[in-house]
């Protein structure tokens, strides 16, 4: 099949989404959108009960859309255990009976968010972050290569990693997360170049602050309501709002589809322009998390502070 005549649609595509058990997450949203498009979907998560619940929910979502959507499969796998990734992938292929893989989406996290437990003074937290963000995705891709190479999609098999803007706009207290995500970006580019002639594309999306379930957990940790904390985080964004999982998922599906067939090794920012400045644009969030800002007028706007004559 020539590149020009190969399919660009994800209807009927075989798609594995890793990290898709939380209905408020980016991974779950990607899986739901794939189902809506008529793709065959399998999800992976570390909690067996959540995998089963999410699979049922996504299958019901598929059924409600009519057509010939298939039941969504689920497999248990823990990204904190990189050495198990090859066997997890083989379990996926045996569970689904797929003979090829068109799309691999890896939406990684650490199960508690970078703001809810990672300690920049503990070596184990750096190791865990690296395992989750780099080694496990790397080993999953390694196991998937022979199957991705068989994809008939235009541009070939597609790997999309959901990364983070953290390495580009690093928050001081989240060093383990920042370093792991920076290494993840290098992994994406390395894999893209390694497999450039194998009919496999590897890309990433880099979200900034997205209102997922993790943000709700952060609000509780900070002793704030979800609305208060979401507003605070929105004030740190150049656009004045937080992103949504749907907005990130749209970018993921673009990279996953044959529509982006000439893109590989891309680190696509989905950050509302955050890279154009920094977290420290907004005095209120600086005061909240850094302190030593008694001289800052919290009512002052960004423009009034930074656009003075």
């Amino acid at each position: 099949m020539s590149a020009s005549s190969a399919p660009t649609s994800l209807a009927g595509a075989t798609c594995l989404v890793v990290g898709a058990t939380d209905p408020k997450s980016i991974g779950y949203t990607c899986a739901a959108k794939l189902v809506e498009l008529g793709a065959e979907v399998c999800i992976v998560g570390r909690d067996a009960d959540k995998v089963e619940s999410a699979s049922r929910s996504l299958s019901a979502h598929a059924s409600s859309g009519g057509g010939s959507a298939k039941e969504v499969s689920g497999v248990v796998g823990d990204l904190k255990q990189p050495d198990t990734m090859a066997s997890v992938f083989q379990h996926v292929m045996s569970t689904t009976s797929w003979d090829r893989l068109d799309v691999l989406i890896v939406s990684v996290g650490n199960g508690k968010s970078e703001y809810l437990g990672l300690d920049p003074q503990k070596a184990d937290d750096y190791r865990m972050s690296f395992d989750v963000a780099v080694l496990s995705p790397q080993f999953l891709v390694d196991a998937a290569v022979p199957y991705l190479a068989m994809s008939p999609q235009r541009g070939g098999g597609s790997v999309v990693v959901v990364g983070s803007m953290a390495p580009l706009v690093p928050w001081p207290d989240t060093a383990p997360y920042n370093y792991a995500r920076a290494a993840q970006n290098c992994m994406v580019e390395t894999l893209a170049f390694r497999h450039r002639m194998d009919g496999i594309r590897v890309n990433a999306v880099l979200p900034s602050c997205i209102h997922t379930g993790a943000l709700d957990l952060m609000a509780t940790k900070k002793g704030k309501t979800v609305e208060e904390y979401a507003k605070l985080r929105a004030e740190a964004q150049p656009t004045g709002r937080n992103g949504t999982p749907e907005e990130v998922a749209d970018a993921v599906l673009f990279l996953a589809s044959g529509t982006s067939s000439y893109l590989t090794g891309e680190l696509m920012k989905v950050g509302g322009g955050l890279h154009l400045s920094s977290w420290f644009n907004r005095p209120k969030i600086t005061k909240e998390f850094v302190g030593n800002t008694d001289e800052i007028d919290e009512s002052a706007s960004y423009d009034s502070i930074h656009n003075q004559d």
Side-chain angles (χ1 to χ4, degrees):
M1 183 180 295
S2 68
S4 61
S5 63
T8 59
S9 169
L10 290 168
T14 55
C15 305
L16 173 59
V17 186
V18 181
T21 58
D22 181 354
K24 292 186 176 182
S25 70
I26 294 168
Y28 184 97
T29 305
C30 289
K33 285 180 173 285
L34 286 167
V35 163
E36 291 170 5
L37 293 172
E40 297 182 33
V41 177
C42 179
I43 63 171
V44 171
R46 69 184 174 279
D47 184 292
D49 290 339
K50 290 182 179 179
V51 169
E52 182 179 356
S53 176
S55 298
R56 285 200 308 267
S57 177
L58 289 165
S59 295
H61 186 66
S63 299
S64 67
S68 57
K70 294 188 176 181
E71 183 175 335
V72 174
S73 305
V75 169
V76 175
D78 188 351
L79 292 174
K80 295 177 184 178
Q81 301 178 37
D83 292 338
T84 67
M85 289 299 102
S87 61
V88 168
F89 181 78
Q90 291 305 322
H91 189 191
V92 168
M93 300 308 286
S94 62
T95 297
T96 58
S97 298
W98 293 340
D99 59 4
R100 72 173 200 278
L101 183 66
D102 296 315
V103 175
L104 169 59
I105 297 171
V106 184
S107 183
V108 304
N110 61 33
K112 53 190 174 183
S113 139
E114 65 273 21
Y115 293 93
L116 300 176
L118 291 181
D119 187 340
Q121 302 302 317
K122 291 184 178 179
D124 284 347
D125 282 359
Y126 289 88
R127 296 187 186 100
M128 183 272 285
S129 297
F130 195 83
D131 284 348
V132 169
V134 182
L135 291 184
S136 284
Q138 163 82 58
F139 295 158
L140 275 171
V141 173
D142 288 348
V145 162
Y147 301 91
L148 288 163
M150 297 173 64
S151 174
Q153 292 286 110
R154 192 173 82 184
S158 177
V159 178
V160 186
V161 176
V162 179
S164 173
M165 288 279 291
L168 307 181
V169 193
W171 189 250
D173 294 333
T174 58
Y177 184 81
N178 300 344
Y179 300 170
R181 293 299 189 163
Q184 184 182 72
N185 291 348
C186 184
M187 176 201 72
V188 167
E189 294 181 323
T190 300
L191 290 174
F193 191 70
R194 176 185 295 171
H195 298 296
R196 68 195 185 282
M197 303 302 290
D198 297 331
I200 299 170
R201 300 180 298 113
V202 185
N203 295 290
V205 296
L206 310 181
S208 61
C209 186
I210 307 301
H211 195 149
T212 64
L215 189 143
D216 297 350
L217 291 174
M218 293 178 211
T220 300
K221 179 73 172 180
K222 298 294 182 181
K224 298 181 179 294
T225 66
V226 171
E227 291 75 17
E228 288 171 339
Y229 188 67
K231 182 175 183 292
L232 176 67
R233 295 299 298 270
E235 289 174 349
Q237 312 304 314
T239 55
R241 71 176 181 89
N242 301 313
T244 67
E246 289 76 15
E247 288 172 312
V248 181
D250 286 341
V252 171
L253 266 60
F254 166 68
L255 291 174
S257 74
T259 306
S260 63
S261 58
Y262 199 53
L263 296 182
T264 192
E266 291 294 329
L267 305 173
M268 179 183 289
K269 303 178 189 73
V270 188
L274 184 62
H275 67 291
L276 301 173
S277 200
S278 80
W279 290 111
F280 298 98
N281 282 346
R282 301 292 181 170
K284 278 186 71 173
I285 201 165
T286 304
K287 186 172 184 178
E288 177 76 16
F289 293 109
V290 179
N292 300 321
T293 55
D294 293 338
E295 74 281 3
I296 290 177
D297 177 4
E298 290 190 25
S299 66
S301 69
Y302 169 78
D303 290 337
S304 66
I305 291 172
H306 292 275
N307 294 336
Q308 298 177 12
D309 293 334

